[in-house]
Amino acid sequence: MRYLTIIFGVVLSLFSSCNKYLDVVPDNIATIDMAFRMRVTAEQYLFTCYSYLPNFSHVASNPALYGADESWRYDNSYPGVQIARGSQSIVQPILDRWSGYTSASMSAATTGSLEGTVSTTSLWRGIRDCNIFMENIDLVKDMDQSEKDRWIAEVKVLKAFYHFYLLRMYGPIPLIRENLPISSGVDEVQVAREPFDDCVDYIVQLLDEAAAEENLPITIEDRTTELGRITKSITLSIKALVLVTAASPLFNGNVDYEGFVDKNGLTLFNTVYDPEKWSRAAVACKDAIDLCHTAGHKLYTYSLDARSSQVSTDTYYKMNIRGSVTARENPEVIWPDVGRSTTTLQRESQARLDAGTANASTVSRGMAPTLKMAESFYTINGVPITEDKTWDYAGRYSLRVATDAERNYIQPNYTTASLHYDREPRFYGSLAFDGSVWFGQGNFTESAPWYVMAKLGQYSGGASANRYSVTGYWPKKLVNPASTYAASVAYVVVQYHWPIIRLADLYLLYAEALNELDGPGEEAYHYINLVREKAGLATLQESWENYSTDPGKYLSQAGLRQIIHQERTIELAFEGHRFWDLRRWKRAMDELNKPVYGWDVSQRETDLYYRIRELYRQEFRTRDYLWPLRELDVIVNENLVQNPGW
Amino acid sequence: MKRIETIRPIMDTKLLSDKTIGLKGLPEPLKAEIDGEQVGLTGTLKTSVLKLFLLLTLLIAGWSQSDAWAQRFPIKGEVVDEGNSSLSDVTVQVKGQTFATSTDSEGQFTIEAEGESVILIFSSIGFAPQEVVVEKEKSSDPVIVRLTPEQTALDDVVVVAFGEQKRTEVVGAMTTIKPSELRVPSSNLTTALAGRVSGVIAYQRSGEPGADNAEFFIRGVNTFGYKVDPLILIDNLEVSTAEFARLTTEDIASFSIMKDATATALYGARGANGVIIVKTKEGKEGSSNISFRVENSLSAPTKNLELADPITYMMLHNEAVATRDPLGVRPYSRDKIANTVLGSNSVVYPNTDWQKEILKTYTFNQKAHLNISGGGKVAQYYVAGSFTQDNGMLKVDGNNNFNNNIDLKTYQLRSNTNIHITPTSEVIVRLSGIFDDYTGPMNGGSGVYNNVMQTNPVLFPAYYPKDEEHAHIEHTMFGNYEDGNYLNPYAEMVRGYKDYSRSTMNASIEFKQNLDFLTEGLSLTAMGSTSRYSFFDVSRFYNPFYYQLVPGSYDRKTGVYSIDVVNPLSGTEYLSYNEGQKEVSSVFHFQSILNYNHTFFEKHNLGGLLVFLMRNNLQGNAGSLQTSLPYRNSGLSGRLTYSYDNRYSAEFNFGYNGSERFHESKRFGFFPSAGVAWTVSNEKFWNPDSKISKMKLRATYGIVGNDQIGSPADRFFFLSEVNMNDATRGEVFGEDGAYSRNGVSISRYDNREITWETSKKLNLGLELGLLNNKIDILADYFTEYRSNILMTRANIPTTMGLSAASRANVGEASSHGVDISVDVNHYFSSELWLTARGNFTYATSQYEVYEEPVYPNSYSSRVGQPLTQTWGYIAERLFIDDAEVANAPAQNFGSRPAMAGDIKYADVNGDGQITTLDRVPIGYPTTPEIVYGFGASSGYRRIDFSLFFQGSARSSFWINQSATAPFIGTSSGTIRQNQLLKAYADDHWSEENRNSYALWPRLDYQANSNNQETSTWFMRNGSFLRLKQAEFGYTLPVTLVNRVRIKNVRFFVNGTNLWLWSPFKLWDIEQAGRGLDYPVQRVYNVGIQVSL
């Protein structure tokens, strides 16, 4: 039995070393604390907070690029197009920044290697990371307090912006002031939506705190490494946008939301109009503009560079609008999106420009401005085509042959619709159409420019079932003139910094706020005219008095409101603003319940091509003003109420 | 059960028979030397040497003891079972004398005896002992003995966890089957499990060589964790399914499946999903034996997909566009359709049957196995090698000098050596290696099949014929369209090839020490083993040059057309190469077993077992720090058995296991189990002559643990997983994006509370032998209750902003079922026999506790539903017209509103819209609840014949709408367009044929989200019955073969998957939703089996 004991002993001693045997985890396994031990890793966490910014320049990520009535597409593969076609639902909310849910059809559209991949990430995750950052940044040892303060200010702005982005989509939202621990009980985590005005106040509070931080720079000094980071100018501009949005009819005294309460009976929307909100918005706009001016921001004007010879004023004004978006040195951009590629967008928008590349698959991938947008631009006299006394509105679809005088806009002797003649420079700068001149694409001479030839069988026309403009227009404004394509496959995209907020936007927001607050006035006219001046147009007073059938329009609040709305539509066309503007103006029910028109692009003959073709009948219901919450989110969180109508 | 003796004269053995000698008179050392001499010699050579040696001995020593010597003579023979299969390891003794031997792996034996007439006793586990009288005069004829299964199987020993037990003492639920039952004409052992082994649910989804493993579960799927398949042990070493699949049946000595708690308890942590224990053969003392088996098989898909003809394809594609988008551009002009109908110029109007271009209709596979075994007193060996070659169904381009078809060669080598270093201690060394060499298409066989199914038949030919203009071109002018971005499956297939090499090497050493000198019945076994795995692949390929017809170049009058290269820059004529995956891993395993077994006072049998084991698994390319850390298990387990008089037995087992995945405080789990058995038929009151000749009742209950929860990547639940350098969470700043930093992300939050998933198992078993054990019935009823199943917390809203799910051990699930097997053996006469066997497994499961939101309707909840239940919409029918769509509850799936001819779903909750809340449990679970098989073998003299049927029932599957939807493309990079299945072309909703119950809804030219939703529309019943295998064999008469000194030759023909009964006709139903993949194969096999 002695041996037996020994054997048992051996077995048991083996076993006692077992626990150690199973302890395979060495020290230094990464934990979240490590992110805040050194400045280098803390900086990575700062960048993480930034990484949740939606990709504003990507057609599959920004609903505003396709989601309204500005651009159309031959198919509905992009989420924005699906929204425009009224496919939003509670089962699979499109571009759902709340749950981060990505619908199958969207991922199919965006996994194609040509399009690049885009994911919809829940912004609540971004907010959580912002909170983690602010909770822990103090732990970092090798950093100055001043730099920490700057970073905290930046993260506050991001946190405010993420809240705002959700607020604009969904209306009242829960506010995540602080993170709840993961182990929190169900009652704690099931947060409820807070009243809209409280949400605005909280967002503004965060922005004010950041703006008050002296270490947050007014503008970026070190552009090579920091361009794109949050500045004080950006902070105040976001605040202006937030307050204008909050003062706008959708959220300011909107009786449609009468009786919208949460499960405890809390009223989530104000339904009484409060003019004070416009006052707050106007002040915010003015503060932002003033700070931006201090920071050196000014409206963009085309400067000649080594590539080009002297250009005509036609081209100069055309390039003013194109450069406002795509120029590399662009003092107008307050908040540039530096990190995101514009490749997909440029491929979408670039028309094929010569017969040798008729098969090019990398360009002309579908973004097609609607006829409505083409008609929105002013005449050469700076007034709407419906109002211009000198412009033949009724005969706008008749055909007309271009003369040599129009050579900077349209190919001489080419026949195209009358609609394309005698329009303001921004029309020719923003749009390409059958017969139009395309300045750039490696060719900066005015004498032998590229021409768009868009009828079926011509090189810009429908070469295949999925690479053409379904309306006959291209958003030239979104293509960097320096981008080139030569061989059948290669498209050399020259990136630009997408303007999330630019100065013209602020000017027009300010004019709008002033008009809503006190009606027309010189201050409002001044800022509108600055934008018009850049576009090569006379002041609005002159233009309306001399050319409009309604010369006194700008003198009334309602008239000036219309003018401002149209000015925003033109100046900011295709940049993702009209989608939100129509909503906050509460004009979507009118504008987005109309058919979408384009030219009959499947025709080879000129007279057949220039027939109007109805592409789609858009349908917009009251509920569409706000995004639906995903059904599952409402089921999981018992304190959450679904948006009205969904 | 009559014995069969066949005694025929074969050769002149006058010399020996006249004056035969025995070894009896020799001094002991010399006798040992003679025995030892036999080691390592082939059978025939050995016999000759022996004869020579005996002759010499006779000459030298003959005088002195001539009387004794004169009596001695050799007897040769063979032992087979009732199915004419050779029986190895049968003990052969001469009654009343000391001579003894055992049969080799081919059932052959040679023994010597003295006297004019002797009685040979043949005995083997599981068979009734037999005595055969052999006359010295006739001893030159080989003795053929057929053993019949033992009637009362009292002393039958079965393999159990870490040891063996007498069958009467077994209390747990287990199935042991004869290795010969698993012999199928496939190189994949897993394909043999379905329907053959009671308690196993199995099905095979693909027939691609190298990727044709069947999925199998013991007693069904009982948890919703990731690990649902059983633990597989070959010679006590845990192996992967892939390695198990490659095991050759010839090498298997025993095959057992452990199903309940007591049977698996000793494996503790890893036994929750059942255990498969395989032991490979070992050498036996005796002459060395060689046997080999060669097979050649013809393999063809069980069913080919039927596609619509190209004209229909074009017409319906046009219809799809026109019917969905009146403004849309029709893809094919009238001219193109008309000319294709006329069969005009096939280059200009291509009409490509991609199946024909790419796939062969059948292929041949080869298989060979050779083994040698034998040994002396000190050492015994078993050495086996096998080779299989599986070929794919793909064609090869004549232009290439490489083979792009699938060619999978598997080599196996196994060597088991037992060395008795002292009378009480033994060392066993086992070495084995499995080596796969594969050459095949770049994307694998399934990739090629998928490509074929995703290519438009009328856009371009596989390649263009070389015209004058291109006569100088060396490369194949592959067809393409537009920019050359279309998928050309032919080009994809022949553009290159991939080699992969997979090696698994196992080495183990086991030491057994009998400790009878301490106390009788005690022994110690220690085993250490290591297993090394490596895999790499490398591909070589060129970029095809694509050509297209220059648009408008075709002149109808002259027939002249011109083709032009599309990708002059990116195409290459030379090969490039790409290094693929490289995987290496290493496993170390150690176990020691202390075993005690003793019988007291004749009737009391006491047994005890204590096992300590530890296992270390290291991955060479794990992909992340946490997965790169060693995977470890360690534990102590034990068993205590007591039985009385072969009537009552009781057993207690425990496993005490640790897992490195859990926090220290939760690391170890204790899993006890116990059971009792009562062999009623051994009681005195039992009438041994009753129709029920045997009856045994068993009951067990126990707890088993499982640490394989969550996902394999979740190594340490108590640690958070943080990626400190996550590119997807990075950001870029500065002009030209000059300054970028990656971000930080969390993919798991730490949770120290996470611990073992536990399973409480109850098993009630009944064993019956009827009609003198001609019919043997084994039935088990089981229930199982799993708790602590790891689940994602469902009540945390997205507003928490978590980047990873928060989880807890909260899920519970139960299951129950029965498994029954029936065996019938009957001998009509000594030459005509029949055996039949059937088995049936039913297993069902349900969610008991499932963390989910509070649904407004009970049908949304998983609780009470089977674990593999599918939720979906109830499809009422197709919409009759647009007015009905407008008035029906809104179904906004995806981007386009539903139209007439789209699927109309039922608004179950009546809220006026179709949302996730209208989804209800539909159909049966996706894993079949019933799997059964039955078959019979019969033999008459030297002919044998067997049939085996296999079926499955109570499962549902879904036709993959998006994978089979015609015209749409599903993938990236290249443009793909699905083929049109003939069945869809023939039966779909159209404006002309408004059939609301058509097989396919309104055609669409792009993915249709409305019709893609999981619903009853595309749900099909997965039940089937198939003739799984039939075999016909013929054994040559011994008289014939022995002239060329061969012991046994058997020819056989068999076939697998010969016939299928199922209402589903589109493709082989066993592939379920994966109908467009590499098809399940029907195999016809011819072979020869030879023993030397």
Side-chain angles (χ1 to χ4, degrees), chain B residues 58 95 111 163 192 285 296 368 457 485 569 571 593 616 648 650 662 668 866 913 924 928 940 979 995 1075:
Chain B
L58 174 75
K95 198 169 188 177
I111 194 168
E285 195 179 336
N296 190 9
N485 283 329
L569 297 176
I593 304 169
N616 183 49
Y648 313 104
F662 306 129
F668 286 88
Q913 53 180 342
Y924 291 116
Y940 178 68
Q979 295 265 22
N995 175 5

Side-chain angles (χ1 to χ4, degrees), chain A residues 115-220:
Chain A
E115 319 296 350
T117 53
V118 166
S119 61
T120 310
T121 309
S122 168
L123 287 179
W124 300 116
R125 281 180 58 186
I127 291 169
R128 186 172 187 92
D129 271 341
C130 290
N131 285 337
I132 291 174
F133 181 90
M134 288 191 279
E135 285 164 15
N136 290 289
I137 187 66
D138 279 344
L139 302 173
V140 185
K141 299 275 193 306
D142 57 344
M143 268 179 84
D144 294 338
Q145 189 57 41
S146 60
E147 190 172 36
K148 284 184 185 173
D149 290 342
R150 179 188 170 191
W151 289 8
I152 290 169
E154 287 179 60
V155 170
K156 268 186 189 160
V157 175
L158 291 170
K159 181 178 167 183
F161 186 77
Y162 297 149
H163 274 106
F164 169 65
Y165 201 94
L166 290 165
L167 182 81
R168 192 162 60 162
M169 289 171 81
Y170 298 95
I173 51 167
L175 297 173
I176 310 299
R177 295 178 176 86
E178 276 175 7
N179 282 347
L180 289 166
I182 297 182
S183 54
S184 304
V186 169
D187 295 343
E188 279 176 277
V189 297
Q190 300 204 337
V191 293
R193 302 169 74 168
E194 300 196 22
F196 185 87
D197 290 344
D198 293 358
C199 296
V200 172
D201 289 344
Y202 179 65
I203 292 165
V204 170
Q205 178 203 327
L206 285 173
L207 293 170
D208 283 342
E209 282 171 23
E213 174 53 54
E214 58 182 16
N215 290 302
L216 185 68
I218 292 171
T219 187
I220 296 297

Side-chain angles (χ1 to χ4, degrees), chain B residues 37-255:
Chain B
E37 195 74 33
Q38 296 170 358
V39 178
L41 296 174
T42 61
T44 41
L45 183 61
K46 170 217 68 181
T47 322
S48 317
V49 170
L50 180 68
K51 283 171 188 166
L52 190 66
F53 181 79
L54 290 172
L55 187 62
L56 284 172
T57 317
L58 174 75
L59 290 172
I60 297 162
W63 290 273
S64 57
Q65 294 183 342
S66 58
D67 283 354
W69 286 78
Q71 302 293 318
R72 212 154 169 197
F73 64 97
I75 304 165
K76 295 201 299 180
E78 184 191 359
V79 182
V80 295
D81 67 6
E82 74 276 18
N84 266 351
S85 298
S86 309
L87 284 178
S88 59
D89 306 330
V90 178
T91 308
V92 186
Q93 287 172 293
V94 182
K95 198 169 188 177
Q97 299 177 10
T98 53
F99 303 112
T101 184
S102 61
T103 59
D104 62 22
S105 61
E106 290 304 318
Q108 306 288 325
F109 70 92
T110 305
I111 194 168
E112 308 212 311
E114 28 182 69
E116 287 301 315
S117 170
V118 294
I119 296 170
L120 296 185
I121 304 169
F122 296 87
S123 56
S124 180
I125 289 167
F127 291 92
Q130 253 187 65
E131 297 187 356
V132 176
V133 180
V134 181
E135 307 278 328
K136 183 181 162 191
E137 285 171 17
K138 294 179 179 174
S139 67
S140 54
D141 300 345
V143 180
I144 303 236
V145 179
R146 177 167 289 133
L147 292 185
T148 55
E150 194 165 27
Q151 317 269 324
T152 47
L154 274 185
D155 297 319
D156 191 358
V157 170
V158 290
V159 173
V160 297
F162 300 105
E164 292 179 340
Q165 271 183 333
K166 280 203 278 181
R167 190 174 274 290
T168 44
E169 289 180 4
V170 169
V171 301
M174 55 196 302
T175 305
T176 52
I177 75 163
K178 273 180 284 180
S180 59
E181 293 287 341
L182 294 169
R183 202 170 282 164
V184 288
S186 153
S187 54
N188 194 320
L189 185 61
T190 61
T191 60
L193 295 175
R196 281 189 171 80
V197 191
S198 75
V200 174
I201 300 276
Y203 45 83
Q204 187 186 5
R205 295 285 188 238
S206 165
E208 182 184 353
D212 52 354
N213 288 353
E215 291 178 52
F216 56 97
F217 315 101
I218 291 177
R219 290 184 164 173
V221 173
N222 300 322
T223 178
F224 34 103
Y226 80 91
K227 176 80 174 171
V228 290
D229 48 330
L231 172 72
I232 305 165
L233 297 160
I234 298 178
D235 292 329
N236 284 325
L237 193 59
E238 183 179 337
V239 299
S240 66
T241 308
E243 199 177 327
F244 173 68
R246 300 242 163 316
L247 192 66
T248 321
T249 46
E250 275 87 346
D251 288 344
I252 301 177
S254 75
F255 187 98

Side-chain angles (χ1 to χ4, degrees), chain B residues 794-828:
Chain B
N795 289 315
I796 299 183
T798 42
T799 45
M800 272 289 274
L802 301 187
S803 53
S806 163
R807 294 179 296 185
N809 292 97
V810 290
E812 292 180 18
S814 72
S815 57
H816 67 274
V818 289
D819 42 67
I820 301 168
S821 68
V822 179
D823 279 76
V824 179
N825 290 301
H826 186 68
Y827 284 74
F828 297 98

Side-chain angles (χ1 to χ4, degrees), chain A residues 3-4 7-8 11-12 14-15 18-26 28-32 34-35 41 43-45 47-48 50-53 74-76 82 85-92 98-99 105 111-113 121-122 124-125 128-129 132 174 176 180-186 189-191 223-229 328-329 338-340 359-361 463-465 467-468 487-488 497 613-616 623 631-633 635-638 646, chain B residues 325 327 329 482-483 485 515 517-519 522 524 548 566 569 588 590 592 594 610 612 614-616 625-626 629-630 632-636 656 658-660 664 667-668 715-716 718-722 724-726 728-746 749 793-803 806 853-856 873 892-897 911 913-917 972-973 975 1005-1006 1009 1012-1013:
Chain A
Y3 293 101
L4 204 60
I7 288 163
F8 272 112
V11 170
L12 288 176
L14 278 171
F15 190 67
C18 217
N19 208 353
K20 214 173 218 177
Y21 180 71
L22 292 176
D23 202 4
V24 295
V25 183
N28 305 327
I29 291 267
T31 58
I32 203 70
M34 287 195 178
T41 49
E43 186 182 34
Q44 283 184 277
Y45 215 98
F47 282 34
T48 305
Y50 271 101
S51 73
Y52 294 93
L53 281 172
Y74 53 78
D75 74 358
N76 56 359
Q82 294 164 11
R85 291 184 184 227
S87 304
Q88 191 63 277
S89 80
I90 61 170
V91 181
Q92 302 166 338
W98 187 299
S99 72
S105 51
T111 49
S113 58
T121 309
S122 168
W124 300 116
R125 281 180 58 186
R128 186 172 187 92
D129 271 341
I132 291 174
I176 310 299
L180 289 166
I182 297 182
S183 54
S184 304
V186 169
V189 297
Q190 300 204 337
V191 293
R223 289 174 64 88
T224 45
T225 62
E226 291 189 349
L227 187 67
R229 296 265 292 267
R328 307 274 298 160
E329 300 291 332
V338 171
R340 311 312 201 294
N359 265 338
S361 62
S464 84
R467 293 197 298 273
Y468 65 100
S488 59
H497 301 148
R613 190 167 73 147
E614 183 184 307
L615 295 170
Y616 198 81
R623 69 178 193 185
E631 188 174 41
L632 186 66
D633 280 299
I635 294 170
V636 167
N637 184 346
E638 293 180 51
W646 289 103
Chain B
D325 179 9
L327 295 175
V329 184
E482 289 187 334
D483 307 350
N485 283 329
L515 300 172
F517 58 88
L518 293 176
T519 177
L522 189 68
L524 176 73
Q548 66 159 335
V566 187
L569 297 176
F588 174 76
F590 173 79
S592 55
L594 194 61
L610 207 54
F612 167 77
M614 54 201 271
R615 184 171 187 272
N616 183 49
L625 172 73
Q626 292 198 7
L629 295 169
R632 280 180 181 167
N633 272 108
S634 87
L636 182 71
Y656 183 62
S659 167
E660 91 283 356
E664 257 174 299
R667 191 162 282 166
F668 286 88
R715 284 304 307 285
F716 309 105
F718 56 95
L719 287 178
S720 59
E721 174 121 46
V722 178
M724 292 290 292
N725 209 16
D726 186 348
T728 62
R729 287 265 71 91
E731 189 55 273
V732 179
F733 293 110
E735 276 175 345
D736 303 317
Y739 193 80
S740 67
R741 288 291 178 269
N742 288 340
V744 179
S745 66
I746 303 174
Y749 295 103
R793 286 183 60 191
N795 289 315
I796 299 183
T798 42
T799 45
M800 272 289 274
L802 301 187
S803 53
S806 163
V854 183
Y855 290 110
Y873 298 99
N892 288 317
F893 294 110
S895 46
R896 290 172 302 161
D911 65 350
Q913 53 180 342
I914 307 297
T915 68
T916 45
L917 289 178
S972 58
I975 301 169
Y1005 62 101
Q1006 50 177 294
S1009 327
Q1012 258 173 19
E1013 289 294 325

